[in-house]
Amino acid sequence: MQKGNIGVTTENIFPVIKKFLYSDHEIFLREMVSNAVDATQKLKTLAAQGDFKGEMGDLTVHVNLDKDKGTLTISDRGIGMTADEVDRYINQIAFSGVNDFMEKYKDKANAIIGHFGLGFYSAFMVSKKVEIVTRSYKDDAKAVKWSCDGSPSYTLEETEKEDRGTDIILYIDDDCKEFLEKARIESLLNKYCKFLAVPVAFGKKTEWKDGKQVETAEDNIINDVEPLWTATPSQLKDEDYKKFYRTLYPMHDEPLFWIHLNVDYPFHLTGILYFPRIKSNIELQRNKIQLYCNQVFVTDQVEGIVPDFLTLLHGVIDSPDIPLNVSRSYLQSDANVKKISTYITKKVADRLQSLFKADRKAFEEKWDDLKLFINYGMLSQEDFYDRAKDFALMKDTDGKYFTFEEYKTLIKDNQTDKDGNLVYLYANDATEQYSYIEAAKAKGYSVLLMDGELDTPAISMLEQKFEKSRFTRVDADIADRLITKDDEKKNELGEDESAKLSEVFKTQMPKIDKAEFMVEVQPMGENGQPVLVTQNEYMRRMKETSKYQPGMSFYMQMPDSYMVVLNSDHPLIKRVLDETDKATADALKPVEAELRGQEARLAAINQSQSGKKDEEISQEEKDDKANTQKAINDQRAKKTQILSEYAAGNEVVHQLIDLALLQNGMLKGQRLNDFLKRSVDLIK
């Protein structure tokens, strides 16, 4: 019997493993099973080369749980080890500068294990004692047993073992009892070992018998040794890909389509990437790509391996060029990873391009699910925009699809303003903005439907990409001013009449939280709406953009800015003006006369003080000007009061305002209730 100390430069090795690997301690099982699979694969290689001539037999790796004994055992029938090999591979851990190691690798379990070849020693994260019972495949090899209780001391002695291979027996520590639970081990095997290349058995299959689940004699194989991504694409059918997707994501809708990756140079990469159906909720869709190394699960945190927008894809990537000890710093610096990222981007773009060219109708049918993904790609990666601009689509409110170039050709004749800018009109809710859309269509304009989660930032991006172009939402202004032409209609009402109308409606606008209303009078034709509410494009866009860009949150605190446009051509507006004139003429006459007199006096004072410096104007003159301005303000307030008192009792004014608010989804609560009652009364 051999006794000794493991070859390390400090006795702190096990506390270090416990402490700094603890946050990721579940990976011990991945390491144990992976080692068993490696040993089995090596035996297969020796047999293929003729260096092992014995019977290989059943090569299944077995994981056995004994809750009573407190052990978890991983057994293989691979190449096994001799006593010398145990001494060389297990006892001689080349450690130096443990303090530097602790500082550099704290909280990075994968990095520690991979960097120092500590795969086996991850067992001590969860075990108070570990035993290895092993027998080499070599002729006349004797079985040996290695035992260590978590200190640098170990024992190595001969033992009995009938068959070749290795048993790793973990005596689970008291603070890690979760790893003696069948469900916990099942979940870890399913997570890390689901696609290992050698069968892995955990317990026995069960069946219903006499009203209860009973074990059968058949091993419960937990993995698929030949997952779909290792197969030749030409031999696979669509249903094979869909079935594999259901295996990976049982609760998801069927994918739109997929890409089968298979690269041998300049790096090795296989995998299948699926395009899921995504309309919104980007964050919920992330981290659905599983990264494997030779069929061993590594991580589903693939940022850095694939571009950010491709993290919306689902599926599997397997590359031996990305080791198990993957870490963020490694990913950011590794040349192979950057090549892989570039390759995947190109492959995705090529696939989308080929689908578009091969069957445009089918591509258009998928567009609503694809749009979010493609917008995200164009926004986040410059080179993807350059690839995507030829197959990215725009959809109008009639459900027709256009490429960027096709749509530009469609609208350039009718939607170019007087300054030569091409104006793209859009709506983001075809139902709520229906009347605005119809008004734009009546002028021969085309309207895009931009109702996606990322359409607001996409619009800003396209304005930068497209030459002399701007995007305007259909409710940003009246139809006649959405695209300014030289033949703009003139308002036939005088300034006083327009001001009076504006005052009547402005005084009756409701107080709505975080909303500001301004009123103006414009001719919109007899068939146009009598009152229309529009929203400033710039401010609305800034508020929407602030949701995506940090540092712009102050826009969210600002009130929404609305313009209430009164159609001076409409009979109802003319009627309101006429009735207002008749009802308020007597009351306004002395006020307006006084107002005109004071305004004339103020003009004369300003004329007399024109060109004078402040110190050349006497205090008496300054007081006279201030008093005159106050008198003007008082008369204006009186005028507003008279118009407001009249308007308060004018049901047509209230009905027109409420109809405009209703059209914009802004009529609620008591105001909506009053509108309904008034509507019934007007019908009687």
Side-chain angles (χ1 to χ4, degrees):
M1 180 175 178
Q2 176 183 337
K3 292 185 178 181
N5 286 337
I6 296 167
V8 296
T9 57
T10 175
E11 292 193 0
N12 290 333
I13 173 67
F14 291 104
V16 166
I17 288 174
K18 276 278 188 183
K19 180 178 179 182
F20 290 118
L21 304 190
Y22 191 79
S23 62
D24 283 43
H25 57 341
E26 67 177 36
I27 62 171
F28 82 92
L29 190 58
R30 180 190 76 182
E31 297 299 318
M32 298 300 102
V33 178
S34 296
N35 286 347
V37 168
D38 287 345
T40 308
Q41 295 285 62
K42 286 174 184 174
L43 187 75
K44 288 183 180 179
T45 302
L46 291 171
Q49 294 172 346
D51 294 330
F52 172 67
K53 296 184 171 59
E55 287 292 325
M56 283 197 289
D58 181 13
L59 296 179
T60 302
V61 171
H62 288 267
V63 178
N64 293 303
L65 196 59
D66 190 327
K67 198 167 183 178
D68 293 334
K69 292 182 179 178
T71 61
L72 182 67
T73 303
I74 297 91
S75 304
D76 67 70
R77 296 185 67 253
I79 58 173
M81 289 181 284
T82 63
D84 287 343
E85 286 168 337
V86 171
D87 197 43
R88 185 160 70 248
Y89 297 135
I90 303 298
N91 292 336
Q92 303 302 318
I93 303 175
F95 247 106
S96 61
V98 76
N99 290 327
D100 292 342
F101 149 71
M102 289 167 65
E103 181 58 34
K104 186 174 181 181
Y105 290 98
K106 61 185 175 184
D107 301 326
K108 295 180 183 175
N110 286 345
I112 298 171
I113 287 173
H115 194 80
F116 291 95
L118 281 175
F120 165 72
Y121 275 88
S122 64
F124 285 97
M125 291 190 292
V126 300
S127 307
K128 54 191 173 188
K129 183 171 79 167
V130 178
E131 292 177 350
I132 303 173
V133 178
T134 183
R135 181 179 169 188
S136 173
Y137 74 97
K138 295 173 183 175
D139 293 339
D140 302 325
K142 293 181 178 179
V144 293
K145 178 181 178 181
W146 179 93
S147 181
C148 180
D149 63 0
S151 70
S153 301
Y154 69 88
T155 61
L156 181 62
E157 59 186 320
E158 286 189 11
T159 191
E160 294 296 320
K161 180 172 168 56
E162 291 185 14
D163 203 0
R164 66 167 192 270
T166 303
D167 300 332
I168 308 288
I169 304 146
L170 311 182
Y171 291 83
I172 302 301
D173 214 337
D174 292 340
D175 59 358
C176 297
K177 292 296 186 186
E178 63 183 285
F179 298 112
L180 291 174
E181 298 297 330
K182 182 181 178 184
R184 180 75 165 118
I185 298 302
E186 272 182 344
S187 70
L188 291 180
L189 290 171
N190 189 56
K191 177 178 179 179
Y192 290 110
C193 308
K194 192 172 185 176
F195 299 112
L196 286 174
V198 171
V200 177
F202 179 54
K204 300 294 182 180
K205 285 190 175 179
T206 60
E207 64 181 17
W208 278 100
K209 196 170 185 180
D210 298 328
K212 60 181 180 179
Q213 287 273 20
V214 294
E215 285 192 350
T216 66
E218 186 181 352
D219 284 337
N220 178 38
I221 305 298
I222 57 92
N223 59 321
D224 177 1
V225 297
E226 292 183 352
L228 202 70
W229 73 82
T230 64
T232 305
S234 60
Q235 297 175 348
L236 299 173
K237 297 177 182 177
D238 286 358
E239 185 50 42
D240 295 323
Y241 287 105
K242 291 177 182 178
K243 183 179 178 183
F244 184 59
Y245 187 79
R246 289 193 291 270
T247 300
L248 294 172
Y249 315 104
M251 305 301 290
H252 283 64
D253 294 334
E254 280 199 350
L256 293 167
F257 47 84
W258 47 85
I259 302 171
H260 199 137
L261 306 168
N262 198 340
V263 191
D264 290 324
Y265 182 83
F267 47 82
H268 295 282
L269 175 75
T270 54
I272 302 170
L273 293 178
Y274 291 91
F275 284 77
R277 298 176 186 274
I278 305 175
K279 286 190 174 69
S280 62
N281 295 326
I282 287 178
E283 295 306 319
L284 295 179
Q285 307 297 331
R286 288 183 188 276
N287 298 326
K288 296 292 198 306
I289 295 179
Q290 299 174 10
L291 178 66
Y292 288 78
C293 173
N294 290 326
Q295 297 175 225
V296 180
F297 177 80
V298 179
T299 182
D300 56 10
Q301 305 290 319
V302 295
E303 295 93 336
I305 302 166
V306 302
D308 193 42
F309 76 99
L310 291 181
T311 60
L312 297 181
L313 294 180
H314 296 179
V316 171
I317 297 172
D318 191 335
S319 176
D321 295 323
I322 299 177
L324 285 174
N325 54 307
V326 66
S327 66
R328 183 76 49 148
S329 58
Y330 171 86
L331 292 174
Q332 290 172 346
S333 62
D334 187 74
N336 273 328
V337 169
K338 290 174 183 171
K339 289 176 186 173
I340 288 171
S341 175
T342 302
Y343 169 81
I344 293 174
T345 302
K346 181 180 183 302
K347 195 76 174 174
V348 166
D350 289 347
R351 173 73 164 141
L352 290 166
Q353 180 76 35
S354 66
L355 286 167
F356 174 71
K357 287 183 175 179
D359 190 344
R360 174 161 175 171
K361 189 172 185 301
F363 188 83
E364 288 179 355
E365 288 171 356
K366 295 181 176 77
W367 177 252
D368 289 345
D369 292 298
L370 276 176
K371 182 173 71 168
L372 180 71
F373 167 81
I374 292 175
N375 277 347
Y376 191 11
M378 292 192 296
L379 283 162
S380 61
Q381 194 147 328
E382 186 74 25
D383 60 345
F384 187 75
Y385 172 84
D386 295 334
R387 295 178 187 277
K389 63 180 175 16
D390 294 328
F391 57 75
L393 298 178
M394 290 175 157
K395 177 183 177 182
D396 71 10
T397 51
D398 293 325
K400 295 177 183 175
Y401 295 89
F402 307 87
T403 64
F404 293 167
E405 196 59 37
E406 288 168 352
Y407 197 72
K408 178 182 176 183
T409 302
L410 175 75
I411 67 171
K412 67 179 180 181
D413 291 336
N414 198 34
Q415 291 182 212
T416 300
D417 68 14
K418 64 180 182 180
D419 298 319
N421 295 307
L422 195 59
V423 181
Y424 291 76
L425 299 179
Y426 70 96
N428 54 26
D429 191 312
T431 303
E432 287 189 5
Q433 292 153 6
Y434 178 81
S435 60
Y436 296 94
I437 294 168
E438 291 303 304
K441 284 183 178 179
K443 295 189 71 64
Y445 298 153
S446 172
V447 181
L448 293 169
L449 183 60
M450 308 286 273
D451 58 353
E453 186 177 353
L454 288 181
D455 277 344
T456 296
I459 284 168
S460 299
M461 172 200 67
L462 292 174
E463 283 180 329
Q464 295 174 21
K465 298 289 186 184
F466 295 171
E467 187 178 345
K468 288 202 76 175
S469 300
R470 62 184 170 84
F471 283 69
T472 300
R473 204 167 82 175
V474 285
D475 60 351
D477 211 331
I478 62 174
D480 285 334
R481 293 191 310 206
L482 286 170
I483 304 172
T484 53
K485 309 280 181 125
D486 290 327
D487 56 348
E488 191 173 333
K489 284 184 72 175
K490 295 288 187 289
N491 189 0
E492 295 179 2
L493 290 183
E495 188 176 326
D496 286 346
E497 291 175 307
S498 294
K500 189 180 294 183
L501 260 178
S502 296
E503 206 68 49
V504 164
F505 280 84
K506 187 176 182 180
T507 58
Q508 303 309 304
M509 292 305 298
K511 300 290 186 290
I512 297 177
D513 188 40
K514 290 191 175 180
E516 278 184 352
F517 294 100
M518 292 168 284
V519 180
E520 67 170 344
V521 181
Q522 286 292 328
M524 294 187 285
E526 287 188 3
N527 295 322
Q529 295 284 345
V531 180
L532 201 65
V533 176
T534 64
Q535 190 174 9
N536 181 274
E537 174 76 12
Y538 174 78
M539 283 303 298
R540 181 188 51 74
R541 185 100 63 89
M542 288 299 100
K543 290 191 77 167
E544 290 177 357
T545 303
S546 67
K547 298 175 187 174
Y548 305 95
Q549 294 187 12
M552 292 182 64
S553 58
F554 63 92
Y555 278 107
M556 293 302 293
Q557 308 307 316
M558 299 176 72
D560 292 324
S561 177
Y562 296 97
M563 181 65 74
V564 179
V565 187
L566 311 178
N567 181 4
S568 57
D569 291 333
H570 199 281
L572 283 172
I573 298 299
K574 290 180 177 179
R575 174 181 152 188
V576 168
L577 179 60
D578 187 49
E579 290 178 351
T580 300
D581 283 341
K582 291 176 181 175
T584 62
D586 291 343
L588 286 178
K589 191 172 183 179
V591 176
E592 289 178 333
E594 178 66 19
L595 184 59
R596 284 193 296 272
Q598 292 295 343
E599 287 174 339
R601 177 173 175 75
L602 182 62
I605 293 172
N606 286 336
Q607 179 66 32
S608 68
Q609 294 181 1
S610 177
K612 288 184 179 181
K613 295 179 181 178
D614 186 63
E615 60 269 20
E616 294 174 344
I617 302 172
S618 68
Q619 187 60 45
E620 185 180 352
E621 290 174 308
K622 290 179 180 178
D623 291 343
D624 189 19
K625 181 177 179 178
N627 291 333
T628 304
Q629 183 63 63
K630 182 179 182 303
I632 290 173
N633 292 341
D634 289 344
Q635 295 307 312
R636 285 176 178 169
K638 284 182 182 180
K639 184 176 181 179
T640 297
Q641 181 68 23
I642 292 167
L643 291 171
S644 175
E645 288 175 357
Y646 164 72
N650 190 315
E651 289 190 336
V652 174
V653 170
H654 288 275
Q655 194 74 356
L656 291 174
I657 290 173
D658 288 351
L659 282 168
L661 293 174
L662 184 68
Q663 182 186 1
N664 287 269
M666 300 167 70
L667 192 64
K668 299 173 182 177
Q670 180 65 40
R671 186 100 189 183
L672 176 59
N673 191 57
D674 292 344
F675 167 76
L676 294 173
K677 287 182 178 179
R678 189 188 320 115
S679 298
V680 172
D681 291 339
L682 288 171
I683 294 171
K684 288 179 181 177

